[in-house]
Amino acid sequence: MCGIIGYIGKRNALPILIEGIKRLEYRGYDSSGVSIIDKDNELITVKEKGQVVDLERKISSRKNLLGNVGISHTRWATHGEPNKENAHPHNDYKNRISLVHNGIIENYKTLKDKLIKEGIEFKSETDSEVLVNLISWIYEKENDIEVAIREALQNVEGTFGIAVIDKNNPEQIIAARRGSPLILGIGKNEFFITSDVTGTIIHTKKVIYLKDNEMVKINRDDFVITTLDNTPVDSKISIVDWDISNIDKGKYSHFMLKEIYEQVETVENAFRGRIIEELSTTKLGGISISASDLRKIKKVQIIACGTSWHSALVGKALIEKNARISVDVEYASEYRYNNPIIPDDTLVFVISQSGETADTLGALREVKARGAKVMGITNVVGSTIARETDGGIYIYAGTEIGVASTKAFTSQVTILSIFSILLGRMKNLSPNYGNKFINSLRELPQLIKQTLKLDNQIKKIAESIKDSTNALYLGRGIHFPLALEGALKLKEISYIHAEGYPAAEMKHGPIALIDENMPVIAINLNNYLHDKMVSNLEEVKARKGRIITIATEGDNSLDEISEFVIKIPKCFVDLQPILVAIPLQLLAYHVAVLKNLDPDKPRNLAKSVTVE
Ligand code: M6R
């Protein structure tokens, strides 16, 4: 949520700052801006509503934007509508310091009232402008920008990742974080500040992940990291182990499509090295719990948001079936404030693709505050959640840029299925079952490849539903979470209202919505609920609903009542949700594209939700 780049070095800062926020645009894209300290030590700020290309257009006519120190920002609005005034960077009332901010200053109203009483005028509706003016007001008294930033940050409640430049200290950037990610990139004679390594990976792979309540003061030749109360910090330099090819669209028209197709490899990456053939079981090295303690687990809680929450629901079905352990799946935003009960012998997981989701992070901290251990299932290496959990599992899906999560979902489900076997084999599952799972897992990439061949058929189906205003997704058992996920994919990128339901629940209300205009996307693979599902779909047909079925190859039982049947390869039951996700993702993608919408940047959304 909101992308920040800062640069200090010998090169011209502007192209680096613009290119950086273009790469971070998936974090927010309603407005953007840049501040540079130019050759005459003047502070120059340019902002624009819309995407970074709009800012770039505006900047192209400015010849004076030359300087080696600057900050830039791409915004996801929290306080104040997306317009030029509310865009970042925000300059102080004296126009000498400039700040970019990611996060929310919760007590901004109190602080603003106080500053207004001091005679300070505001140009925007943002909480961030309050912060820059607070810093400036203290700076006026203290005459030291570093002291002013420290003192201001002691007085704010909420979350921040900030970078500040000051024309009176033109060779310096100060950045600090609490709750919002911030990373220092260390180049050769140059430094970067970024909210995500994606923004600076083309310049350097050497990074330091700042921790909460840390501040970095960067000068041209070096940097110093301290806590906000000025205690020196000895930070570890990490090397980012992926490169730019991860964040290029390649031959694909959108990142989302690329990421859907990447699932052939990403699912394999998720299970590689996690099979113990000779014991007919699986392993997850990142779980820092001994086998004997794992055997003692009586309950699992999984906490997540959005698509990650849907993968948790699939995990629940698998763990309960294979390990006979009861699983609670919780919305992170609710869990953290619900005075959660964590019984003894409970294993808690948080799942987050980005590893930065504020609600999930808050829930994780709540679990830790209660003295329980918490494991993470994350994608982004070095992310805050990955670092704060007691142990964890990386899904190794590679950078996911499309705002709609696709490959992360299937990789998360892969990990959860592996975990269900690991626990199940310690308890009641036979070696035979373990072997069947392992063999099916190995076949899965090939089945995904085959499923992707349905792309053209799915595009035609998308054509036929693109003008619908509503859609219903139905599934049962292990496929109910897929109905939720299919509906989420469609609504978030095509803006068609969609709901996911357990198919039998339909008759308790949603059936009232069904008429000849209502597409009903039904997931009905070969499993023990197949025939029950057929009956539910007959009820839809009787009300003239348009049925689009996802079925197993060779199953013709729904051909007659369905307008379209998408037949996916036969697959081991535990892994079916992974295959089902693919047509659902493709359908949503094509509907969005056919409606001339950008699936990578749906309105009002951002990839990484770092505010509550
Ligand atoms: O990074 P996380 O997995 O924690 O993100 C959770 C949700 O914000 C995310 O899955 C969101 O729902 C996606 N836009 C869904 O496609």
Side-chain angles (χ1 to χ4, degrees):
M1 201 143 271
C2 297
I4 290 176
I5 299 282
Y7 175 79
I8 179 163
K10 295 201 163 64
R11 293 192 275 165
N12 189 17
L14 186 64
I16 296 167
L17 296 172
I18 295 293
E19 207 266 345
I21 50 170
K22 266 191 184 166
R23 293 197 184 277
L24 294 187
E25 245 187 327
Y26 69 96
R27 300 179 68 90
Y29 33 81
D30 58 51
S31 55
S32 60
V34 59
S35 283
I36 301 269
I37 297 188
D38 77 0
K39 297 264 182 262
D40 307 318
N41 290 344
E42 282 308 317
L43 178 62
I44 302 179
T45 300
V46 187
K47 314 201 271 193
E48 190 56 298
K49 182 180 172 182
Q51 300 191 7
V52 179
V53 283
D54 301 305
L55 175 72
E56 220 176 1
R57 215 170 289 127
K58 187 166 183 182
I59 280 173
S60 60
S61 58
R62 303 279 300 259
K63 300 276 173 265
N64 60 342
L65 275 171
L66 289 173
N68 316 122
V69 179
I71 51 178
S72 61
H73 186 274
T74 177
R75 178 172 186 247
W76 184 87
T78 59
H79 295 61
E81 66 175 270
N83 61 26
K84 196 176 127 189
E85 287 68 38
N86 291 332
H88 296 220
H90 288 286
N91 294 353
D92 69 321
Y93 63 106
K94 297 230 156 192
N95 208 32
R96 65 189 161 174
I97 62 176
S98 189
L99 165 142
V100 284
H101 170 222
N102 173 22
I104 290 183
I105 307 301
E106 286 167 1
N107 58 338
Y108 84 102
K109 261 197 171 317
T110 321
L111 295 171
K112 190 171 183 174
D113 290 347
K114 190 171 148 189
L115 293 169
I116 288 173
K117 276 197 195 123
E118 297 291 335
I120 295 173
E121 285 176 20
F122 286 82
K123 301 184 224 64
S124 80
E125 303 153 87
T126 64
D127 52 336
S128 311
E129 193 191 5
V130 175
L131 179 54
V132 77
N133 277 333
L134 177 64
I135 295 171
S136 179
W137 183 64
I138 301 171
Y139 189 12
E140 195 64 10
K141 291 186 293 172
E142 300 288 344
N143 209 20
D144 183 324
I145 184 68
E146 186 184 337
V147 170
I149 293 173
R150 282 187 202 283
E151 194 179 320
L153 294 180
Q154 305 291 353
N155 281 293
V156 300
E157 287 159 22
T159 56
F160 53 81
I162 58 163
V164 181
I165 53 174
D166 168 18
K167 71 176 182 181
N168 296 339
N169 291 282
E171 310 252 305
Q172 168 184 295
I173 299 179
I174 295 183
R177 74 161 273 185
R178 181 192 297 152
S180 305
L182 215 52
I183 297 153
L184 171 71
I186 304 165
K188 212 170 166 212
N189 303 320
E190 58 186 5
F191 298 99
F192 307 83
I193 272 292
T194 180
S195 36
D196 178 336
V197 282
T198 310
T200 51
I201 183 85
I202 57 163
H203 304 294
T204 180
K205 290 188 172 187
K206 274 169 82 176
V207 296
I208 291 177
Y209 297 97
L210 293 188
K211 297 199 185 88
D212 269 353
N213 297 310
E214 285 185 357
M215 173 191 266
V216 58
K217 186 163 101 178
I218 317 165
N219 297 314
R220 253 179 218 289
D221 306 315
D222 62 0
F223 62 88
V224 182
I225 300 180
T226 52
T227 59
L228 287 181
D229 53 16
N230 212 2
T231 310
V233 170
D234 192 13
S235 303
K236 183 174 141 264
I237 296 180
S238 306
I239 306 295
V240 180
D241 69 352
W242 50 270
D243 59 39
I244 188 75
S245 63
N246 280 49
I247 47 172
D248 267 356
K249 274 196 284 228
K251 63 179 182 185
Y252 295 95
S253 40
H254 298 98
F255 280 109
M256 182 177 177
L257 190 62
K258 177 186 177 233
E259 287 157 9
I260 292 172
Y261 272 79
E262 277 174 355
Q263 290 172 109
V264 178
E265 295 94 43
T266 52
V267 163
E268 186 155 7
N269 290 343
F271 71 72
R272 185 177 298 117
R274 288 171 168 163
I275 290 170
I276 315 181
E277 185 99 51
E278 57 286 11
L279 299 177
S280 311
T281 190
T282 53
K283 62 175 178 191
L284 289 167
I287 295 191
S288 50
I289 300 180
S290 67
S292 62
D293 283 346
L294 269 180
R295 275 179 59 82
K296 287 185 202 139
I297 287 169
K298 295 205 178 71
K299 192 175 186 59
V300 173
Q301 289 182 347
I302 316 181
I303 308 166
C305 304
T307 286
S308 297
W309 187 80
H310 296 157
S311 75
L313 288 177
V314 180
K316 170 182 166 73
L318 290 171
I319 296 164
E320 290 187 346
K321 177 172 90 64
N322 292 337
R324 307 299 298 143
I325 291 176
S326 113
V327 182
D328 293 338
V329 174
E330 308 276 354
Y331 283 117
S333 53
E334 292 294 307
Y335 185 91
R336 59 184 296 195
Y337 294 115
N338 274 354
N339 198 5
I341 300 166
I342 312 173
D344 289 347
D345 299 322
T346 299
L347 177 59
V348 184
F349 277 105
V350 288
I351 307 183
S352 174
Q353 184 287 128
S354 61
E356 299 294 350
T357 301
D359 289 321
T360 313
L361 185 56
L364 148 63
R365 288 177 178 163
E366 186 57 35
V367 176
K368 289 185 84 171
R370 283 161 192 261
K373 268 199 167 187
V374 56
M375 301 290 135
I377 299 180
T378 51
N379 190 29
V380 178
V381 176
S383 57
T384 311
I385 291 177
R387 285 184 282 122
E388 291 199 13
T389 40
D390 298 297
I393 304 145
Y394 281 122
I395 61 173
Y396 297 127
T399 310
E400 191 180 65
I401 303 269
V403 165
S405 186
T406 53
K407 60 179 181 173
F409 174 77
T410 48
S411 295
Q412 289 163 351
V413 173
T414 305
I415 295 297
L416 289 161
S417 70
I418 288 173
F419 180 67
S420 78
I421 296 297
L422 188 157
L423 270 193
R425 286 284 294 119
M426 289 179 167
K427 297 180 159 235
N428 50 306
L429 282 189
S430 66
N432 196 22
Y433 196 93
N435 284 335
K436 202 160 179 197
F437 175 84
I438 289 168
N439 293 337
S440 308
L441 200 55
R442 291 212 171 106
E443 281 167 14
L444 193 57
Q446 197 48 41
L447 300 185
I448 295 175
K449 209 176 204 170
Q450 270 170 254
T451 309
L452 287 166
K453 292 199 177 122
L454 300 167
D455 197 0
N456 281 336
Q457 185 206 358
I458 294 167
K459 191 170 174 185
K460 286 195 191 107
I461 302 172
E463 182 74 57
S464 91
I465 66 162
K466 73 174 193 337
D467 298 320
S468 307
T469 47
N470 295 288
L472 200 57
Y473 284 69
L474 300 178
R476 295 190 70 150
I478 202 168
H479 296 310
F480 161 54
L482 272 290
L484 294 176
E485 175 60 7
L488 175 61
K489 288 292 88 98
L490 189 72
K491 69 184 136 196
E492 72 179 324
I493 61 170
S494 77
Y495 319 146
I496 294 174
H497 171 244
E499 298 287 345
Y501 265 93
E505 191 60 23
M506 180 189 62
K507 58 185 175 294
H508 299 289
I511 198 162
L513 297 169
I514 293 182
D515 62 14
E516 63 280 10
N517 299 316
M518 175 69 106
V520 176
I521 295 95
I523 305 157
N524 195 21
L525 299 199
N526 280 347
N527 64 30
Y528 70 104
L529 285 165
H530 177 273
D531 296 348
K532 299 265 177 221
M533 184 78 185
V534 173
S535 309
N536 298 142
L537 294 178
E538 290 289 358
E539 294 155 10
V540 174
K541 192 65 197 170
R543 280 134 191 110
K544 297 196 169 53
R546 303 177 53 194
I547 301 177
I548 298 158
T549 308
I550 299 175
T552 312
E553 263 170 17
D555 173 12
N556 302 326
S557 61
L558 283 159
D559 290 6
E560 216 164 283
I561 61 165
S562 307
E563 188 176 332
F564 301 98
V565 186
I566 303 167
K567 293 195 179 168
I568 64 172
K570 200 162 176 239
C571 172
F572 183 55
V573 63
D574 289 2
L575 301 172
Q576 284 177 356
I578 296 172
L579 272 199
V580 169
I582 288 160
L584 296 174
Q585 296 164 351
L586 285 169
L587 186 64
Y589 170 79
H590 286 302
V591 171
V593 173
L594 287 164
K595 290 180 77 174
N596 278 326
L597 300 169
D598 181 351
D600 289 342
K601 291 180 192 147
R603 71 180 176 210
N604 304 340
L605 282 168
K607 182 70 183 161
S608 172
V609 186
T610 55
V611 293
E612 273 198 58

